[in-house]
Amino acid sequence: MEQWRRLTLWPRLAIGVTIGFLVLFAGFSVLGIRAVDASTNRILHERLAITEELADDFDGLVQHRFADLAAFDPRPAPASMRRRLLAEVYHASGGAFTSVALYDPRGRVVASFGGSAGKATTPPYVNRVLASGARVISAPFIDASGRPVVALAVPAGAHGVLVGTLDLAGADVAGRLDAARLLGRTGHAELVDRNGTALASTEPGAPLRPGEHLDLYRAMFRKSQPGTANVSVTPKATEAADLRNERHTMAFVKLSAAPWAVALGGTTGETYAPAHRLRRTLLLAGGGSLAVLWLLTLFGARLLVRPVRDLTSAAEEMASGNLDHEVSVSEGGEIGVLAASLETMRAQLRQSLETVRRWGEELEHKVADRTAELNARNRQLAAVSAILAAANETHDLEQMLQRCLDVVLEHAGMDAAAARLRDDRESTISRGNWDGIPPAGRSELPLRGPSGDVGVLELGRRHGSAPPDERDMLAAISDQIAVAIDNTRLASELRRLEARDEVQRMRSELISAVSHELRTPLGFVKSYATTLLREDTPIEPATRRHFLEIIEEETEKLEHMIDELLDASRLQAGRLPIEPKVLSLARLVEHAVDKARQTLETSGHAVTLGLPDDRLTVLADAVRIEQVLDNLLENAARYSDAGSPVDVNVVGDNSNAVVTVTNRGDGIHTADLDQIFEPFFRGRNATSRRIRGAGLGLAISRGIVEAHGGKIWAETGRGDTTTFVVTLPLAATPT
């Protein structure tokens, strides 16, 4: 209590306001938590209600299908008439039944209709109807056509038993579960029996497999009431990576017309997403609002306390005999009246103590002060302008600070200056000579910019510290340097963010291009491999060999694409292996053309080759340069019409060997000439000709050529001709 009494007015107000707002924030937090809990319960109730509606829908389906069977007329009739009556029952189901069959009292098939109708042996569910005289729903099974079904059996009086096999994969059953898609991206539903077997499901997989939440289904069948539960799942390789470890919130309702149940739900994250958003919104909005109100209240309290402090300070100075400070408070009311009274008292006391001499001295001092102020202002403006010009000369932080410190040495008359920055490296930039500067001649100024305290400006003068009239100028200089530091850092951060955005863009393009280009060969490989693995259909040896050749061809395409991606990665990292040797460029080009000639001629492209003598040698990696030539020849074939020629020429001058590859086809748009060598760029002609590829061949070629010290570019000539030019430095001739 004693410590509280010692506090002044401002700390008391601040503590009281803070405690009040903390209590208010706690109250808002409790209300927010209650609102989120209510939202969560409402979500679970809504999901359970949807599941109950779906269960009622399935109950109606079963009752309707039993009614279709009960409508059968069991009176004696010829075999053809029975089959026609069964056909009417079959068609009345709207395709829900895969077959309808009539069994006599001995369990033998009397008549049937449908592709999978009729069995040689009496099914157990028929015996159960004959024994009990009541309708029966069988366990699920796969019928002769390979579809999952259950049998609905009803007594037909003295004529035996009528059986309809309900198609579980049809729209009448599985289609009703599609309502789960309305729950969101992870919404799914299953129709299960007492054993947990999935009779129908929105999830892909084999029919009549165990349900996704088998333990939950069996536990809920033992209960009499519907309910909801959060359950874990076993991750599936087919699921998205962000969903594999998610728990599921499931609602479970048993049917009354069949020994089945409906389970419907989705991931916990998606189910409770509205509640989580509500919690975040309440906390952020409530906390932010209270924080703003708290700051405004403290600011208002500080404004209220400030004039009281000013008046107290003024009264203390007047009591000590100091009458030079004017009592000035811009407040009204009682505080304004008190300030006016104190000022009147100070003025009257000062008038009674001063003489006429004071007026002359005051005028003289004012003129001198004004002159000194103008001189200081001029020096300050000149220094600040010089700092601003130096800061705009370069974007490099260290160079900018060096130039600014040179300006400080010139305009402030200092012998040495240094800037110590508060960053990760605690870097220091220094100019001038600090030797011989005494401690009294050293001073520090804070560098405070828009972002806060960025460092310290140290100044050194051998003949004492800066006089008081220079401090304003030095403070302005330090402020301007701090602003320049902030601007330089912001510019550097902007360039870094732009570079990061470019990396993100290239990464997205890589993922899109690779996923698109890998899908087609993988589809071929999977399709033909699946066909070869089938045992139910014989495959001729020639056909099998043809399929294997296609698989090998598509696998080579995959291997080629992967090699291109690896080369692009090595180029980006600067680690592309190059093993240069002195070799004949003519032989290298001739070998590459001969290797590609058969492919080019097969597609109708005649190749003409112009070579110099073997004395034209280069220092190069034969494998890599051949890779460049393969890419250029392949592009020439792809982007030109069948029957057009491809020209390859090699020439040399005093310092370089030049290889040109020319084709006559679509040509390259002028706007694309500067971009075709960029990774993942595919020109407009690639889309029109439906040419596959990731757009890496020319980028890799440019990296290989530049790694050899050469250049590569494209030129467009008359008649839609395109020429790719490669230059390589000649090998040094030994002396």
Side-chain angles (χ1 to χ4, degrees):
M1 191 65 183
E2 186 63 27
Q3 294 178 347
W4 174 261
R5 292 176 179 175
R6 293 178 182 177
L7 294 176
T8 58
L9 179 60
W10 163 242
R12 291 185 181 185
L13 285 175
I15 294 173
V17 169
T18 301
I19 293 174
F21 274 98
L22 287 176
V23 173
L24 189 60
F25 180 76
F28 274 118
S29 299
V30 172
L31 293 176
I33 292 172
R34 290 183 177 178
V36 170
D37 291 340
S39 176
T40 301
N41 292 333
R42 184 169 60 254
I43 290 172
L44 294 178
H45 287 316
E46 290 175 353
R47 177 152 299 181
L48 187 59
I50 293 172
T51 309
E52 289 175 343
E53 290 179 0
L54 191 57
D56 292 339
D57 196 14
F58 275 109
D59 280 332
L61 167 66
V62 174
Q63 296 288 2
H64 192 185
R65 295 300 160 246
F66 270 123
D68 291 339
L69 295 174
F72 175 76
D73 187 0
R75 290 177 297 177
S80 59
M81 179 61 71
R82 287 197 193 123
R83 179 173 173 80
R84 189 168 64 105
L85 293 174
L86 292 176
E88 291 178 359
V89 175
Y90 175 88
H91 293 299
S93 70
F97 289 140
T98 62
S99 66
V100 181
L102 178 65
Y103 291 82
D104 64 17
R106 296 183 180 181
R108 294 174 301 181
V109 177
V110 176
S112 64
F113 186 85
S116 60
K119 289 188 177 181
T121 60
T122 304
Y125 50 84
V126 172
N127 291 331
R128 287 168 54 195
V129 175
L130 292 173
S132 64
R135 66 185 188 182
V136 170
I137 300 177
S138 74
F141 59 94
I142 303 296
D143 66 4
S145 63
R147 298 186 67 83
V149 297
V150 294
L152 304 183
V154 298
H159 300 281
V161 178
L162 182 64
V163 177
T165 53
L166 181 63
D167 186 3
L168 298 176
D172 214 22
V173 178
R176 297 173 187 267
L177 297 177
D178 286 340
R181 307 293 187 188
L182 301 177
L183 297 179
R185 183 167 68 101
T186 63
H188 60 283
E190 289 184 322
L191 179 67
V192 297
D193 63 8
R194 292 185 178 275
N195 297 322
T197 301
L199 306 180
S201 175
T202 58
E203 297 295 301
L208 303 184
R209 68 184 187 281
E212 186 179 20
H213 309 291
L214 190 60
D215 294 338
L216 171 67
Y217 299 160
R218 291 175 176 174
M220 294 299 291
F221 261 113
R222 292 193 292 268
K223 297 181 179 179
S224 58
Q225 296 295 328
T228 59
N230 293 334
V231 294
S232 59
V233 295
T234 302
K236 299 179 182 177
T238 57
E239 289 181 330
D242 58 334
L243 302 179
R244 293 184 183 174
N245 296 316
E246 274 270 11
R247 293 176 63 85
H248 288 186
T249 300
M250 303 297 298
F252 185 92
V253 177
K254 292 191 291 187
L255 274 64
S256 59
W260 304 335
V262 176
L264 180 143
T267 61
T268 303
E270 187 176 45
T271 301
Y272 297 129
H276 294 163
R277 286 195 297 269
L278 177 60
R279 177 186 289 113
R280 287 195 300 270
T281 301
L282 290 175
L283 291 178
L284 292 177
S289 301
L290 290 177
V292 171
L293 289 176
W294 175 67
L295 292 175
L296 291 176
T297 304
L298 288 181
F299 179 75
R302 190 171 184 83
L303 291 179
L304 180 63
V305 172
R306 183 182 299 170
V308 177
R309 281 184 172 180
D310 293 340
L311 290 178
T312 303
S313 177
E316 290 175 351
E317 289 183 0
M318 291 175 62
S320 65
N322 184 5
L323 302 176
D324 295 331
H325 293 287
E326 180 182 358
V327 179
S328 177
V329 175
S330 59
E331 294 288 333
E334 292 80 1
I335 295 178
V337 173
L338 180 58
S341 299
L342 286 176
E343 175 58 20
T344 302
M345 184 185 301
R346 185 198 67 81
Q348 291 176 351
L349 289 175
R350 188 176 180 84
Q351 285 180 353
S352 63
L353 295 176
E354 293 188 359
T355 61
V356 177
R357 181 181 56 83
R358 182 184 64 82
W359 294 102
E361 293 177 352
E362 183 179 357
L363 180 60
E364 182 180 353
H365 286 306
K366 285 186 176 181
V367 172
D369 290 343
R370 185 60 176 169
T371 302
E373 181 181 353
L374 290 175
N375 291 334
R377 287 288 183 184
N378 289 334
R379 292 182 59 193
Q380 178 178 333
L381 289 174
V384 170
S385 299
I387 291 290
L388 183 60
N392 291 330
E393 290 177 2
T394 178
H395 294 296
D396 181 76
L397 181 60
E398 183 173 350
Q399 293 181 5
M400 184 273 294
L401 285 175
Q402 289 177 353
R403 296 182 184 181
C404 290
L405 293 179
D406 290 339
V407 172
V408 173
L409 296 180
E410 177 183 355
H411 287 266
M414 296 294 170
D415 298 310
R420 287 191 290 106
L421 302 182
R422 290 187 172 90
D423 53 20
D424 296 338
R425 299 175 298 172
E426 291 291 332
S427 53
T428 300
I429 310 299
S430 179
R431 304 292 282 179
N433 187 3
W434 288 89
D435 295 336
I437 297 179
R442 298 172 180 257
S443 59
E444 290 186 357
L445 291 173
L447 296 174
R448 295 191 181 95
S451 63
D453 195 352
V454 298
V456 174
L457 176 64
E458 293 185 356
L459 302 174
R461 179 180 286 173
R462 292 188 178 87
H463 304 293
S465 60
D469 58 346
E470 292 183 0
R471 292 176 182 173
D472 290 340
M473 180 186 69
L474 295 177
I477 289 175
S478 66
D479 291 340
Q480 189 60 43
I481 292 176
V483 171
I485 292 172
D486 273 348
N487 291 341
T488 303
R489 286 177 173 173
L490 287 174
S492 176
E493 179 67 13
L494 179 60
R495 291 192 295 273
R496 186 186 69 79
L497 292 175
E498 291 175 348
R500 187 186 66 181
D501 291 342
E502 179 64 16
V503 170
Q504 285 294 114
R505 183 189 65 78
M506 293 183 66
R507 183 181 301 166
S508 298
E509 290 181 355
L510 170 62
I511 294 173
S512 176
V514 170
S515 61
H516 176 75
E517 294 304 328
L518 291 181
R519 186 178 296 114
T520 300
L522 283 175
F524 276 114
V525 172
K526 183 179 185 302
S527 176
Y528 285 104
T530 302
T531 303
L532 291 173
L533 289 173
R534 292 185 60 178
E535 297 179 355
D536 56 344
T537 304
I539 301 176
E540 296 294 332
T543 304
R544 182 181 299 274
R545 179 175 180 80
H546 177 62
F547 286 179
L548 291 174
E549 289 173 351
I550 293 176
I551 291 174
E552 181 182 16
E553 180 183 348
E554 296 301 323
T555 304
E556 289 176 353
K557 291 179 182 178
L558 286 174
E559 185 177 7
H560 177 68
M561 279 189 275
I562 292 171
D563 289 340
E564 281 191 339
L565 290 172
L566 290 175
D567 284 343
S569 176
R570 294 189 187 106
L571 281 172
Q572 187 177 11
R575 296 195 298 268
L576 184 68
I578 301 293
E579 299 178 0
K581 295 180 181 179
V582 177
L583 49 87
S584 170
L585 183 59
R587 294 180 183 176
L588 178 60
V589 173
E590 184 177 16
H591 178 264
V593 171
D594 288 342
K595 188 174 66 173
R597 189 183 299 274
Q598 182 178 358
T599 302
L600 290 170
E601 291 179 351
T602 301
S603 58
H605 298 284
V607 182
T608 61
L609 180 61
L611 298 174
D613 54 33
D614 289 345
R615 289 177 295 178
L616 189 64
T617 59
V618 292
L619 183 64
D621 187 326
V623 175
R624 290 299 184 183
I625 296 302
E626 188 171 330
Q627 181 180 353
V628 174
L629 295 172
D630 290 343
N631 283 334
L632 296 181
L633 291 170
E634 183 180 356
N635 277 356
R638 283 182 172 184
Y639 292 95
S640 60
D641 297 329
S644 61
V646 176
D647 300 330
V648 181
N649 292 287
V650 181
V651 296
D653 55 25
N654 295 331
S655 59
N656 291 302
V658 181
V659 181
T660 61
V661 178
T662 303
N663 69 80
R664 296 162 181 81
D666 298 338
I668 300 176
H669 291 273
T670 305
D672 295 344
L673 284 175
D674 295 334
Q675 303 182 54
I676 59 175
F677 293 97
E678 295 296 328
F680 313 113
F681 179 80
R682 304 179 73 232
R684 309 171 195 181
N685 298 335
T687 303
S688 62
R689 285 182 174 267
R690 297 182 179 178
I691 295 174
R692 292 166 50 190
L696 291 173
L698 291 179
I700 294 172
S701 298
R702 180 178 65 177
I704 293 173
V705 172
E706 292 179 349
H708 284 77
K711 296 181 180 178
I712 183 172
W713 69 89
E715 299 175 350
T716 298
R718 295 181 179 178
D720 290 333
T721 62
T722 300
T723 300
F724 285 89
V725 184
V726 177
T727 66
L728 295 171
L730 293 175
T733 304
T735 58

